[in-house]
Amino acid sequence: MGYRLFGIEMQSPFIIGSGPLSYGAPGLIRLHQAGAGAVVTKTINLEAAENAVNHMASCGMNTLINCEKWSDYGPERWIANEIPQAKAAGVVVIASIGVSLCAWPELVTRMIEAGADMIELVSYDETELKTMAETLRPYCTVPMIAKLSANYRDMLEVAGACRKAGCAGFTACDSIGPVMKIDIETGRPVLGGKEGKGWLSGAMIKPIILQKIVELRQKFDCPIIGLGGITTWQDAIEFTMAGADALGICTAPILMGVETIGKLNRGIERYLDDHGYGGLDTIRGMALSHLPEQEATGSFHMGFQKESCIGCGRCVTVCAYGVRTLDEDGNMAVDEAACRSCGLCVSVCPKNCITVNRGLVSC
Ligand SMILES: Cc1cc2nc3c(=O)[nH]c(=O)nc-3n(C[C@H](O)[C@H](O)[C@H](O)COP(=O)(O)O)c2cc1C
């Protein structure tokens, strides 16, 4: 299947977000060989970064916290070695640019001459991104992408200002924070950076980012790279249905290996085949056609497929109203008059024995 972003051909819809795996040319090439459609470099600033000891930690459930700074290579090294080497190996390179490069914008032109296919602007400070776009636009002859943050007070306002300033599209979003993890044996923050705080990425942030993509898609028709929390192919399908044009991943290949890229690719292709969809384009933005939707109301009827039930009792455990019972023979009973139709039992059933039809639960 062919994929394109801003007209640039990619071997897959997966774009590796700026992070430790894209530290330099060998990392970029490894990600490309593992199936990435494009790779965003570690964020490049005027000065090379020096990181604290302990700047990444697992936070359970395919989630990370980190206080990693920008690239520990300076811009000259990226221009002379890392970008040209990656380009020679066929990588689609997106150069991530930090705010300090605005003081020397000619470096961005040189990165493009070195082979960068796109430029991504990033800042945690929402007042900086628009200024960065305005400053760098005259030097940027390739698509310029604004990397947005769910931490912004008004992300849509920043997005609109960046579009006006010449950004061709968005990456949504950066990691979320600040956040904290404490070692309960020592009482010390696990991360070694300033104030011990970090930024959250991976599975835990997915629902927040998915909603941000819906909001962006409802307002803008430019390309959106959906990034934040994709760790399974099902997540990638959800992001596409929310309106993402390309699928960003950073934490998933860090925690699960670069082979994850191939697994995600195969997963979405199988899903598309099984459902008879011609490609991701067919399902892109599908969720938006259901928004805004009237609140689902209606009478409740219990539906239960006894033959699929494995008797795990999850549906009984989570019933806040205690109206569901399962006997030893696997017979389910519900006090329908007392049931509030919350739907939680439907979503925790591992075998889809209980199905819901928005306000009407039925077999
Ligand atoms: C260890 C680590 C370092 C990161 N460094 C950068 C960076 O230098 N520049 C940047 O724009 N984003 C950086 N990010 C954020 C990711 O590009 C991405 O936006 C975020 O992790 C959400 O995606 P994910 O849930 O797939 O990881 C970093 C993330 C991690 C986990």
Side-chain angles (χ1 to χ4, degrees), residues 32-87:
H32 168 73
Q33 288 171 346
V39 185
V40 185
T41 68
K42 184 73 191 157
T43 296
I44 307 164
N45 265 311
L46 277 184
E47 298 294 328
E50 204 175 312
N51 278 301
V53 174
N54 276 7
H55 54 267
M56 285 168 73
S58 159
C59 203
M61 278 180 44
N62 288 335
T63 299
L64 277 179
I65 58 169
N66 86 89
C67 62
E68 187 174 86
K69 296 176 186 164
W70 54 96
S71 176
D72 50 16
Y73 295 161
E76 294 295 351
R77 177 163 177 167
W78 280 99
I79 292 165
N81 299 327
E82 312 308 317
I83 296 175
Q85 278 173 26
K87 283 311 299 172

Side-chain angles (χ1 to χ4, degrees), residues 16-21 40-44 55-56 62 64-71 96 120-124 147-148 171-176 199-206 209 226-231 248-254:
I16 312 306
S18 180
L21 292 175
V40 185
T41 68
K42 184 73 191 157
T43 296
I44 307 164
H55 54 267
M56 285 168 73
N62 288 335
L64 277 179
I65 58 169
N66 86 89
C67 62
E68 187 174 86
K69 296 176 186 164
W70 54 96
S71 176
S96 170
E120 182 178 274
L121 312 180
V122 62
S123 172
Y124 277 143
K147 183 167 186 180
L148 302 168
T171 296
C173 291
D174 212 329
S175 36
I176 292 180
W199 305 91
L200 195 66
S201 63
M204 265 187 216
I205 70 170
K206 189 194 95 178
I209 306 302
L227 168 66
I230 296 178
T231 61
I249 45 171
C250 181
T251 296
I254 296 174

Side-chain angles (χ1 to χ4, degrees), residues 126-209:
E126 64 189 87
T127 59
E128 272 174 3
L129 212 56
K130 169 179 166 259
T131 313
M132 284 178 77
E134 285 167 348
T135 309
L136 297 176
R137 176 69 274 179
Y139 300 86
C140 202
T141 50
V142 296
M144 190 168 72
I145 305 165
K147 183 167 186 180
L148 302 168
S149 168
N151 295 316
Y152 295 161
R153 185 188 38 83
D154 188 340
M155 191 192 77
L156 293 178
E157 192 184 300
V158 178
C162 288
R163 279 290 281 157
K164 275 203 187 112
C167 288
F170 306 119
T171 296
C173 291
D174 212 329
S175 36
I176 292 180
V179 293
M180 174 62 63
K181 180 174 180 179
I182 294 170
D183 179 339
I184 61 166
E185 295 306 322
T186 62
R188 294 169 69 170
V190 170
L191 294 182
K194 214 171 148 193
E195 298 169 53
K197 66 188 178 189
W199 305 91
L200 195 66
S201 63
M204 265 187 216
I205 70 170
K206 189 194 95 178
I208 299 171
I209 306 302

Side-chain angles (χ1 to χ4, degrees), residues 210-258:
L210 201 55
Q211 169 63 12
K212 294 292 179 195
I213 290 168
V214 167
E215 289 171 19
L216 281 169
R217 184 78 295 158
Q218 284 174 322
K219 200 161 171 198
F220 301 97
D221 61 7
C222 59
I224 299 170
I225 302 170
L227 168 66
I230 296 178
T231 61
T232 65
W233 65 261
Q234 291 92 335
D235 297 336
I237 297 295
E238 271 191 85
F239 270 56
T240 307
M241 288 180 166
D245 296 277
L247 302 160
I249 45 171
C250 181
T251 296
I254 296 174
L255 285 176
M256 297 185 272
V258 298

